[in-house]
Amino acid sequence: MNLADSAFLRACRRQPVPHTPVWYMRQAGRSLPEYLKVREGVPMLTACATPELIVEITMQPVRRYGVDAAIFFSDIVVPLKAIGIDLDIKPGVGPVVADPVRDAKDLDALRPLEPGDVPYVTEAVQALTGELGGTPLIGFAGAPFTLGSYLIEGGPSKNHDKTKAMMYGAPELWHALMERLSVIVLEHLRIQIAAGASAVQLFDSWVGAVAPDDYREFVLPHTRRILEGVQDVPRIHFGVGTGELLGVLGEAGADVVGVDWRVPLDEAARRVGPGRALQGNLDPAILLAPWDVVERKARDVLRRGRAAEGHVFNLGHGVLPSTDPHQLRRLTDLVHESGAA
């Protein structure tokens, strides 16, 4: 099959599709026994820098589920690690930064990313596009707000208090940090596209912590710069807890707005406005319920998704580690059998 004819890319471009396309955030990960086997004893950042492992892990859910797109196996902090930031991903915790960003001199560590910093990304993307054939590969990166929060807080944060303190109390420093990160993120996406990625997703996992007016002032200009810098493939933008931000997310420049499970897709389509496709949005926890519940809820998502100009079925966040892979296989088949969006 020609890549351009893939249901996923057609839905992203709001074109007619033979069936609703489906893929899952964190489809390559801890819910798969084959993933746990190949990752045994291998630190996350080591796996993200090993092309053979990247290829194998990226392909695992494509083989198992028959999803309509693969997503590149990596982590949002990989480009930061690649430019020399002292960080690690600690099991059960997440990214931990040794020297948090607190003042202007700390920005000096955030030099621009170059292709030579991440040769394993280029090598793995090229290998994957050869192996995937007509199945699109989604490249991705973390958005500046979320990366900035990790850098300022020194790790995951529930309230993002230090992040907001800088945003409100030192706006010049904040925007300088966002600009540095925007350059890094945009280059990271361009490297993946140049190697063969067919689409990209910008993850702003923590931006739901920000009010709409603050998003417009402190986040939107930087997100828009990144999305406008990527013109040649479909662009997906996703954040968690962003129901109140859906309208302004739609303004940021993505072709597809990802929706978490909190807002029904028909209402999300109204908030986002015309000219955008939607992605989502089954609650990942529903997959832990009996199949008849999963089926009923999935059909409701599909029905509401018809309100959008294009719909890519997905979960409202990542696959939970305790998810039975058999449920995802059945869900994929159900979506495919349900007909066009």
Side-chain angles (χ1 to χ4, degrees), residues 122-198:
T122 298
E123 183 180 338
V125 170
Q126 289 174 340
L128 278 164
T129 53
E131 193 160 336
L132 283 164
T135 300
L137 175 67
I138 305 168
F140 78 91
F145 179 88
T146 294
L147 292 177
S149 179
Y150 281 124
L151 288 171
I152 296 164
E153 305 285 344
S157 170
K158 185 176 181 180
N159 298 314
H160 309 280
D161 44 346
K162 295 183 179 68
T163 304
K164 290 186 174 183
M166 181 186 292
M167 190 173 77
Y168 295 130
E172 289 186 7
L173 177 59
W174 171 263
H175 284 294
L177 172 60
M178 292 294 100
E179 285 169 11
R180 296 261 183 144
L181 289 171
S182 297
V183 170
I184 293 166
V185 170
L186 177 54
E187 181 60 19
H188 190 45
L189 292 176
R190 285 174 168 168
I191 288 167
Q192 293 172 76
I193 294 165
S198 301

Side-chain angles (χ1 to χ4, degrees), residues 147-327:
L147 292 177
S149 179
Y150 281 124
L151 288 171
I152 296 164
E153 305 285 344
S157 170
K158 185 176 181 180
N159 298 314
H160 309 280
D161 44 346
K162 295 183 179 68
T163 304
K164 290 186 174 183
M166 181 186 292
M167 190 173 77
Y168 295 130
E172 289 186 7
L173 177 59
W174 171 263
H175 284 294
L177 172 60
M178 292 294 100
E179 285 169 11
R180 296 261 183 144
L181 289 171
S182 297
V183 170
I184 293 166
V185 170
L186 177 54
E187 181 60 19
H188 190 45
L189 292 176
R190 285 174 168 168
I191 288 167
Q192 293 172 76
I193 294 165
S198 301
V200 292
Q201 176 154 314
L202 188 64
F203 282 89
D204 213 346
S205 307
W206 306 134
V207 80
V210 175
D213 285 350
D214 293 330
Y215 183 95
R216 286 186 186 280
E217 180 177 354
F218 296 109
V219 183
L220 179 60
H222 308 288
T223 305
R224 182 177 277 151
R225 175 184 178 183
I226 294 165
L227 292 170
E228 287 180 350
V230 176
Q231 295 286 350
D232 32 4
V233 300
R235 302 153 295 180
I236 309 167
H237 189 24
F238 172 75
V240 184
T242 52
E244 296 300 320
L245 300 177
L246 286 172
V248 69
L249 287 180
E251 296 173 26
D255 303 288
V256 185
V257 175
V259 184
D260 77 7
W261 67 92
R262 295 171 176 87
V263 179
L265 286 182
D266 46 358
E267 170 61 16
R270 187 190 68 78
R271 295 186 189 185
V272 170
R276 303 282 182 263
L278 297 185
Q279 178 176 281
N281 71 337
L282 186 72
D283 187 337
I286 286 171
L287 288 163
L288 308 181
W291 171 250
D292 63 315
V293 178
V294 177
E295 180 177 11
R296 176 167 51 84
K297 293 287 192 178
R299 290 190 185 281
D300 185 59
V301 169
L302 288 163
R303 179 179 62 80
R304 293 176 184 274
R306 294 191 184 101
E309 294 179 24
H311 178 211
V312 176
F313 190 97
N314 207 314
L315 304 182
H317 198 198
V319 176
L320 297 172
S322 55
T323 304
D324 180 355
H326 185 60
Q327 291 277 69

Side-chain angles (χ1 to χ4, degrees), residues 22 30 43 49 56 68 70 76 104 107 134 140 156-157 181 196 229 301 329:
V22 52
R30 292 170 291 174
E56 169 58 23
D68 294 281
I76 62 171
L107 299 183
F140 78 91
S157 170
L181 289 171
V301 169
R329 174 76 237 196

